[in-house]
Amino acid sequence: MHLVTAEEMRRLDRITIERLGIPAVALMENAGRAIAEEIIAFCNHRDGDGAAGDACQGTGAARYSSGPGHAGARAAGAAREEAAVPGAGTAESFGAVRTAAPKLLISGDAALMAGRAEDEHWLVLVGKGNNGGDGLVAARHLSEAGIAVSLLYAVSPESLTGEAAQQRDAAAAMGLPAAVYGGGRPDFAGYSGILDALLGTGAAGAPRGAYAELIAAANRSGKPVASADIPSGLNADTGETHEPCIQAALTVCLAFLKRGLLQYPGAGHAGRIVVRSIGIPSGLAREEGLSAYWLTPAVLEDVLGVDVSRRRAPDGHKGTYGHVLIAAGSLRMSGAGLIAARASLRTGCGLATWAVPGKLLPLLVGAAPELMLADAGGEADGTWNAAAAEEVLKLAGKKDVLAVGPGIGRFGDDKAWLQTIWEGADCPLVVDADALNILAECDYGTWQGRRTPVILTPHPGEMARLVGVSTKEVQRDRIGLALSYARERGVILVLKGAHTVIASPDGRLVVNTTGHPGMATGGSGDCLTGIIAGLLAQGLSGFQAAVFGVYLHGLAGERAALLRGDPVSVIASDIIEAL
Ligand SMILES: NC(=O)C1=CN([C@@H]2O[C@H](COP(=O)(O)OP(=O)(O)OC[C@H]3O[C@@H](n4cnc5c(N)ncnc54)[C@H](O)[C@@H]3O)[C@@H](O)[C@H]2O)[C@H](O)CC1
Ligand SMILES: [K+]
């Protein structure tokens, strides 16, 4: 599924209206109706209303009696009623016992059928822009479904223009009760829900004046809030939340998923996200060259060309699936190398060799029978040194991928060590952990260019060192930073953290949402490094391996949590076993 910025959304909207000739008011009508349908489904689900609730879950029409008990539906004037046509043959006339088969089915808009409409009274907070316009359309459809609706304008309705003004007039013509916020602390206790149609992709900066007051009041009310397009107060591009920002139970995102809904803290304000089509052709995004995606199996297969089935050739052998070399571990952190190496095997590479400082090697014999160990030289105390880089290059000569960094620690002339490996390794290179901290101290843009991909896998702190900013600054706009860094440096960047971002030098970007906070545990990153290396060894491209690796890592973490019964108790070895 595509991810868009506010500006990209406006561009796609403009193309739809100007090039395809689909009127803006039609898009807004579709948007408002979609919002109303999702609010009705929310109400039906919340009220546990069986018949109508079921009916509204899907797009199919409801099948139910239109007898008493469905006031809402009657009010909706849209119902599917089964009626026998008078005079048609009945069971008795043919002597067989048969119920009268209905001859006439009148289906209706099940998604606009509210089970207990009479119990609902929704307040629509209306901004002055098109987000407000969407809310006004939704208000009409909610009213049609028999739900009581009241409008509260943030600013004078006279200040609305264009399609929003049209919707203002339509709502007034329908007699929807309306008021203008006049300051103070409004009391929303009498409502069953609030539709936040204050600010959408046209917002700039922190909510001001009445908008801020109404957002705060909605959050204080304790009522469920549904947000039109994005929670008001959220930065649609970065996921930053201004003060105040709506805390939504449901966000009905229009046309395309906004980037800010998938990055924290914004992702924590959206509640359940539903992306609804409003008539903008989904193919436009690809035609316009948009290349940011929320990672789904379809994106893996259709956009990245990854064979998620990971089928194996019947005549495959160890050589078919590649050989991983991991240069990792040191006296105090040998486990990191073991985790990375084992993860690469679990990911399906044919062979894995773990290169360690010679002093450690005897201590590691048998640590993992499937692994091969290699003496990479190093110091007598089991630490790495610059000369060991040449040993690593010799070992890498016949390997399909080299991963460096897990548990290597910092050592004298470690920058020379990394530069030798960076410039000398012909196979794809995965750089993680302390190798990233070393890289951060190097002007590696001056190093000899590489012909095969480099994948960097920093967590936010390591990224902060790579870029020379604070971790807070890294987290402010993860997607924007990852994209610019990958492009400028010509590397594939995996910016780890909640909803990991993977960016490619060619501008492609993917946000992954598999995994859980229990994976924030020592060795989890080493495991990811091994997974990515294991996929590279099997012939995936750099970006494919980085994206699929992050995806699999998260899925394995989820599976490990199920196996452990609790995400909290998951450790890196569990993730490996769950691959
Ligand atoms: N673009 C599309 O494809 C479609 C968009 N739709 C909806 O329209 C909004 C975007 O509408 P827009 O008019 O551009 O902006 P907003 O409605 O978000 O209004 C902003 C409005 O509020 C004022 N304002 C801006 N920032 C602040 C602030 N920090 N504090 C207070 N006030 C602020 C400013 O004056 C603006 O006029 C989009 O989200 C969709 O909901 C339709 O769905 C159709 C397709
Ligand atoms: K909104």
Side-chain angles (χ1 to χ4, degrees), residues 89-100:
T90 55
E92 291 67 22
S93 60
F94 293 111
V97 178
R98 201 159 50 84
T99 55

Side-chain angles (χ1 to χ4, degrees), residues 6 8-14 16-17 24 26-32 35 127-135 155 161 164 197-212 215 228-230 232-233 242 252 254-256 258 278 280:
E8 288 167 346
M9 191 66 246
R10 279 188 285 275
R11 177 151 54 99
L12 296 172
D13 183 44
R14 211 171 29 250
T16 303
I17 295 166
L27 297 177
M28 186 169 281
E29 189 67 27
N30 293 340
I35 293 167
K128 70 178 275 194
N130 288 333
N131 196 249
D134 291 348
V155 293
T161 58
L198 290 168
L199 296 172
T201 51
R208 299 182 295 273
Y211 290 82
I215 291 167
D229 208 18
I230 58 171
S232 297
H242 295 292
V252 186
L254 304 163
F256 292 96
K258 305 322 181 276
I278 62 172
I280 295 176

Side-chain angles (χ1 to χ4, degrees), residues 235-331:
N235 180 316
D237 294 354
T238 65
E240 285 169 286
T241 52
H242 295 292
E243 181 51 43
C245 176
I246 284 281
Q247 184 63 55
L250 166 69
T251 294
V252 186
C253 185
L254 304 163
F256 292 96
L257 191 52
K258 305 322 181 276
R259 287 186 183 181
L261 291 172
L262 284 196
Q263 288 297 289
Y264 288 91
H269 278 250
R272 186 165 66 86
I273 300 169
V274 182
V275 182
R276 288 292 301 262
S277 169
I278 62 172
I280 295 176
S282 57
L284 268 188
R286 188 179 284 207
E287 283 168 32
E288 285 300 304
L290 273 56
S291 55
Y293 299 88
W294 168 47
L295 182 51
T296 63
V299 167
L300 278 167
E301 290 190 291
D302 303 339
V303 177
L304 300 185
V306 171
D307 172 8
V308 295
S309 74
R310 303 166 73 200
R311 268 181 297 273
R312 296 218 135 176
D315 59 347
H317 52 80
K318 286 198 293 291
T320 315
Y321 304 107
H323 194 155
V324 168
L325 178 65
I326 308 261
S330 57
L331 193 59

